[in-house]
Amino acid sequence: METLILLAVLSFLGLTALAILRLRDGVTAVMLAGLYSLLSAGVFVLMDAVDVAFTEAAVGAGISTVLLLATLHRTSRMTHRPTHTPLIPLIVVMVTGAALVYGTLDMPAYGDPQAPIHQHVGPDYLRDGPNTTGVPNVVTAVLASYRGYDTLGETTVVLTAAIGVLALLRGRRQGKERS
Amino acid sequence: MTLPGLFPYWVVIVLMMIGFYMVIAHGNLVLKIIGLNIFQTSVFLLYISMGKVRGGTAPIIASGFSTYSNPLPHVLILTAIVVGIATTALAAALIIRIHGAYGTIEEDEIHRQDNSL
């Protein structure tokens, strides 16, 4: 049953991506990209990553859609046909995709409990995390306690991006007033 | 019903390549960013699918459960999502500035104006 649901959501995801690929209207593409984010949040739930699903639904489907809609509102909505001949990008994409598929061939099967990733620190966090940090949610325990400095670095990235956005857009408003 | 063990990875790679194609083939800057977001979300899916354990549940320790999926990819991707939205915001601001300077967000039009200087 779980496999069937996963298969259904993955095919919806593929269909949405193909639909976005064919679109030339910016607003519709942004809305469908929001749908794509929401569907991928569904896949995250099916793969037991509930924290990631929550964040993706809020940030990917919510904030990202609003940002891109605001960008379209300030620029132009319609787009022309693709400018490059689609042949060369198609070849590049096919070759890259084939190389990546070749790379998956010696990966452990999906859901295999014996995969190398499940033999390293992951089980330690699951065993010791709740006792060491007092948080039953191991993802929160790792994020805020074991790897708290990484999260601090992440907020630095967000601060830098915010400064960049403010610097870019503040200059624009002053420029408009001058003209 | 069982899928071939690598099937989720292949779906993710197809999604990734759709995003990659959008980035290099589309001339519209907003559509490029959407393609980049699709690529990025597909990479998230790849990581999360590696952390899944058959028969496992979400890594929140509770009585009655003994098999949990690996929490480590979840933590990495939580960070990546937030960094992703930061880069999207910066890209959106840059697009607004490009539109202010060139009056268009089409790549070919921008190149044409650059070359006619």
Side-chain angles (χ1 to χ4, degrees):
Chain A
M1 191 62 200
E2 202 183 316
T3 315
L4 274 181
I5 299 174
L6 181 65
L7 204 61
V9 183
L10 280 179
S11 37
F12 279 140
L13 211 53
L15 286 175
T16 314
L18 282 176
I20 297 172
L21 193 61
R22 296 180 56 82
L23 281 174
R24 294 286 168 268
D25 175 30
V27 174
T28 324
V30 170
M31 298 318 285
L32 275 182
L35 180 66
Y36 181 89
S37 268
L38 207 58
L39 282 170
S40 67
V43 179
F44 291 146
V45 172
L46 289 171
M47 292 176 175
D48 299 336
V50 284
D51 305 75
V52 180
F54 184 71
T55 314
E56 176 68 31
V59 172
I63 301 175
S64 176
T65 310
V66 171
L67 276 178
L68 287 178
L69 281 179
T71 311
L72 281 174
H73 175 71
R74 284 197 168 201
T75 54
S76 53
R77 173 176 174 165
M78 293 303 286
T79 163
H80 314 303
R81 55 188 175 68
T83 50
H84 315 288
T85 49
L87 191 65
I88 297 169
L90 208 59
I91 293 170
V92 171
V93 164
M94 288 291 184
V95 170
T96 317
L100 286 174
V101 169
Y102 176 72
T104 64
L105 290 183
D106 52 0
M107 272 172 76
Y110 172 70
D112 182 7
Q114 298 305 316
I117 182 176
H118 305 309
Q119 311 303 322
H120 196 46
V121 290
D124 293 352
Y125 286 142
L126 283 169
R127 194 183 56 242
D128 304 333
N131 292 329
T132 316
T133 62
V135 183
N137 186 339
V138 183
V139 176
T140 314
V142 177
L143 190 78
S145 180
Y146 287 105
R147 300 210 160 267
Y149 282 114
D150 288 5
T151 309
L152 184 68
E154 170 197 339
T155 49
T156 316
V157 171
V158 175
L159 178 71
T160 315
I163 292 170
V165 170
L166 284 177
L168 282 167
L169 293 186
R170 211 169 133 253
R172 181 175 184 263
R173 219 175 292 133
Q174 285 170 348
K176 240 186 174 175
E177 278 160 17
R178 247 182 272 130
S179 65
Chain B
M1 180 186 163
T2 49
L3 294 168
L6 298 174
F7 182 76
Y9 305 142
W10 296 338
V11 175
V12 164
I13 288 171
V14 170
L15 295 174
M16 229 184 257
M17 288 306 109
I18 291 175
F20 186 32
Y21 180 83
M22 281 189 76
V23 173
I24 54 179
H26 274 298
N28 184 288
L29 295 178
V30 172
L31 287 179
K32 269 185 198 287
I33 298 298
I34 293 174
L36 204 61
N37 281 345
I38 289 178
F39 194 118
Q40 182 180 296
T41 311
S42 313
V43 175
F44 298 164
L45 283 170
L46 183 69
Y47 269 67
I48 297 297
S49 64
M50 287 180 204
K52 167 78 178 166
V53 174
R54 206 180 301 119
T57 182
I60 301 170
I61 308 298
S63 57
F65 297 99
S66 58
T67 314
Y68 301 100
S69 289
N70 196 326
L72 209 53
H74 303 183
V75 177
L76 296 177
I77 297 311
L78 273 180
T79 308
I81 289 176
V82 177
V83 172
I85 192 69
T87 50
T88 304
L90 201 60
L94 277 171
I95 290 174
I96 291 173
R97 285 305 300 262
I98 287 171
H99 186 261
Y102 291 89
T104 178
I105 53 170
E106 300 290 333
E107 203 179 34
D108 57 338
E109 179 67 22
I110 293 167
H111 283 309
R112 209 178 50 74
Q113 290 188 23
D114 271 346
N115 291 334
S116 64
L117 285 177

